[in-house]
Amino acid sequence: MKKALLYFLLGTVLSFLINYFFYSSENIGLDIYYAVAFGLAWGIAYYLDTPEFTLAKKMGLSFVAMGILVLVGTLIFNLELAIPSILKFSTVFVAYYLIASFRANKTLRN
């Protein structure tokens, strides 16, 4: 769990810094929200990367996380601005497992 939180924090900070310095949008709150979506995807993907979770559970928990992201984004901003957070989340989540699939043990934990 500690490493999953570390992945979340590092992913969030790295994403925020890249967005802030290279894309610098007008809305700092939106940059933070997208960075949290990016970091959350890395943290959850790492946390779920164990044989204890079946594929169905991994997919279900990722959909729950995306639903929460949309709900929070819609409450803070609007639905139109909340949708890109799902795209960031799902892209990172899939990328994590794609990278893991190239390893012999099919995990990035070891």
Side-chain angles (χ1 to χ4, degrees):
M1 183 68 157
K2 289 180 184 179
K3 273 194 169 179
L5 287 173
L6 183 64
Y7 270 62
F8 166 71
L9 291 173
L10 288 174
T12 300
V13 169
L14 183 65
S15 177
F16 176 75
L17 292 174
I18 289 170
N19 284 333
Y20 184 77
F21 288 114
F22 294 111
Y23 300 115
S24 64
S25 74
E26 304 284 320
N27 190 342
I28 193 91
L30 193 58
D31 286 343
I32 292 170
Y33 172 68
Y34 290 153
V36 167
F38 186 89
L40 187 65
W42 278 113
I44 289 177
Y46 182 82
Y47 178 72
L48 295 176
D49 190 15
T50 64
E52 298 168 7
F53 291 103
T54 63
L55 181 60
K57 275 189 178 179
K58 290 176 184 180
M59 300 244 338
L61 290 172
S62 70
F63 282 125
V64 167
M66 286 190 282
I68 291 169
L69 277 172
V70 170
L71 181 65
V72 169
T74 303
L75 292 174
I76 296 173
F77 306 106
N78 61 37
L79 183 60
E80 189 174 288
L81 293 175
I83 296 298
S85 71
I86 295 173
L87 299 174
K88 289 179 187 296
F89 182 94
S90 59
T91 301
V92 170
F93 200 82
V94 169
Y96 180 95
Y97 285 102
L98 179 66
I99 294 166
S101 73
F102 290 114
R103 296 196 51 181
N105 59 0
K106 305 293 185 216
T107 182
L108 293 180
R109 278 194 174 245
N110 301 338

